[in-house]
Amino acid sequence: MAKKGRFITFEGGEGTGKSTQIKLLSEYLQQKGIDVLTSKEPGGTEVGLELRRILVTGDKDKMDAVAEALLYYADRRIHMTKKVWPALEEGKWVLSDRFADSTVAYQYYGYNKRVPYQTLENLYKLTVGDFKPDLTVLLDIDPKIGLARSLDKAGHMSVKETRHESRGLEFHNNLRQGYLEMAQKEPERFLVFDADKSIEELHEEICRAISERFEIC
Ligand code: TMP
């Protein structure tokens, strides 16, 4: 794919404030004259929204990590082919709330490595090939704080998207460590931020780092 835009992904556990930061960054980039598309996984497309309902609602044990990985990758394939790649080709900057690092964090580290890592690598290759995000913003927070925020938000939802929230602290501590390991392994792709800061403070830090990285002034 001859990519003209930029693909920036946001990652983190539950309740890190990703969607708020994506909205604010999108407004900032648009003020700088950049054409931005915001999207998310799972659920960035019409079919993806149906998959999202299956994946994030209901009993936590209704499927295992392998089935989850397959469905998240199905969502990703549709998301990339129908939305992200066409937008990048038009020169848009795509900000995605989650991407493949979420599958490694949740389905691999969260579940204590029960899905072989190689399987996830194979799914990545099949689904997205050699394509990678230009940058990944990791919002890091203590899961005790993040889960409390997330469950508070879910209290206002008509359909509760709390399937993963109900997995308990060990699962969430594991996936947090997994994210930090991934960031250490690929320091040129990841920018890590402390998400236990005010919305404004975090927004300023993210804008500063992104402006520096992509030479926006
Ligand atoms: P969200 O609440 O941040 O929109 O994400 C939906 C849920 O799906 C969240 O609990 C994380 C989870 N998830 C995975 O377990 N694996 C994945 O590959 C993705 C994209 C999300």
Side-chain angles (χ1 to χ4, degrees):
M1 194 210 49
K3 188 178 66 153
K4 297 183 194 129
R6 303 272 189 197
F7 185 49
I8 302 175
T9 59
F10 278 67
E11 295 284 354
E14 306 299 328
T16 56
K18 287 182 281 88
S19 52
T20 304
Q21 292 301 329
I22 287 172
K23 185 170 166 283
L24 293 172
L25 178 64
S26 162
E27 286 165 7
Y28 170 81
L29 292 174
Q30 286 182 66
Q31 279 164 14
K32 299 282 176 188
I34 294 168
D35 198 357
V36 182
L37 175 76
T38 61
S39 194
K40 66 175 176 184
E41 291 188 2
T45 62
E46 218 172 290
V47 180
L49 278 175
E50 295 184 40
L51 291 170
R52 181 181 175 94
R53 186 189 57 74
I54 295 166
L55 281 160
V56 303
T57 66
D59 188 278
K60 69 178 174 29
D61 296 320
K62 72 180 181 182
M63 66 182 110
D64 68 4
V66 175
E68 281 178 11
L70 293 170
L71 289 180
Y72 279 114
Y73 263 103
D75 167 75
R76 188 157 300 133
R77 177 71 188 174
I78 301 163
H79 189 218
M80 299 314 285
T81 55
K82 299 288 179 192
K83 195 168 176 184
V84 175
W85 285 332
L88 291 174
E89 254 188 272
E90 284 171 21
K92 292 195 172 107
W93 286 37
V94 180
L95 308 183
S96 184
D97 190 338
R98 299 194 182 280
F99 182 59
D101 297 312
S102 283
T103 313
V104 178
Y106 280 74
Q107 280 66 49
Y108 179 68
Y109 285 103
Y111 282 99
N112 255 323
K113 309 183 179 177
R114 261 179 267 157
V115 183
Y117 187 75
Q118 190 59 45
T119 306
L120 295 185
E121 282 208 323
N122 292 343
L123 283 173
Y124 189 101
K125 275 264 169 231
L126 175 71
T127 309
V128 285
D130 293 329
F131 176 88
K132 274 192 165 197
D134 293 287
L135 187 74
T136 296
V137 173
L138 173 58
L139 301 185
D140 177 60
I141 202 164
D142 180 340
K144 274 193 205 140
I145 301 170
L147 282 169
R149 281 188 190 172
S150 185
L151 289 168
D152 184 41
K153 187 170 135 200
H156 308 287
M157 291 175 182
S158 52
V159 179
K160 305 279 179 266
E161 295 193 333
T162 52
R163 194 168 155 259
H164 293 299
E165 278 85 342
S166 65
R167 289 192 193 286
L169 211 48
E170 193 189 335
F171 180 91
H172 292 278
N173 282 328
N174 287 346
L175 74 88
R176 180 196 194 187
Q177 287 313 317
Y179 269 132
L180 294 172
E181 272 180 39
M182 284 188 259
Q184 261 186 351
K185 277 188 208 148
E186 279 187 86
E188 67 297 337
R189 176 163 71 85
F190 277 90
L191 289 175
V192 185
F193 297 90
D194 174 3
D196 191 18
K197 291 198 172 165
S198 74
I199 290 175
E200 295 75 26
E201 215 178 332
L202 194 52
H203 171 57
E204 270 175 33
E205 281 186 14
I206 293 172
C207 283
R208 210 174 310 128
I210 298 243
S211 301
E212 218 171 275
R213 174 67 69 103
F214 297 109
E215 295 177 359
I216 303 165
C217 45

